[in-house]
Amino acid sequence: MQIPKKVKVGAETYIVEIVDRIDPTKSEEDDWAGLTEHNTLNIKVRRGKQEAMEHTFLHELLHTFNGAIHDERLVESLSTGLHSFIKDNPKVFNK
């Protein structure tokens, strides 16, 4: 799975950035894996292993749906399932 540099969600286009740190005020262990900024239309994904970045991207993408899903347990469950589906069924999304 390739993480895009931008993604269109409804009427909005979010810029996707791979960054070394999400919140420089936090320790590296406590830093978030990703962040969605709805006011600036940015999705940030912390640099790391490819599988982890893909999962984080999908997690943050789900936060953009329906004006932002805020239930972290729901988003985590959905992103885990969606990531597994995409990885296990790559032909579904390829032309």
Side-chain angles (χ1 to χ4, degrees):
M1 176 180 161
Q2 184 174 351
I3 298 172
K5 296 203 182 291
K6 62 182 176 178
V7 63
K8 190 170 185 316
V9 180
E12 308 290 359
T13 300
Y14 283 78
I15 301 300
V16 180
E17 298 177 86
I18 307 298
V19 298
D20 292 324
R21 298 292 296 275
I22 302 294
D23 185 347
T25 66
K26 294 182 180 283
S27 70
E28 195 166 327
E29 295 81 29
D30 292 333
D31 196 15
W32 300 313
L35 177 68
T36 298
E37 298 173 312
H38 302 285
N39 57 333
T40 59
L41 300 177
N42 283 317
I43 295 173
K44 293 181 180 181
V45 175
R46 189 176 68 205
R47 191 176 316 283
K49 293 182 179 177
Q50 184 65 29
E51 292 271 327
M53 291 191 316
E54 292 169 359
H55 178 266
T56 298
F57 168 70
L58 292 172
H59 178 105
E60 296 306 323
L61 182 63
L62 287 171
H63 280 301
T64 69
F65 295 167
N66 296 325
I69 301 170
H70 296 289
D71 183 333
E72 282 297 323
R73 292 173 72 191
L74 174 61
V75 169
E76 186 59 24
S77 176
L78 290 170
S79 61
T80 298
L82 183 58
H83 186 247
S84 294
F85 178 81
I86 290 169
K87 296 301 271 188
D88 293 342
N89 299 281
K91 292 181 180 179
V92 171
F93 297 99
N94 292 336
K95 294 181 181 178

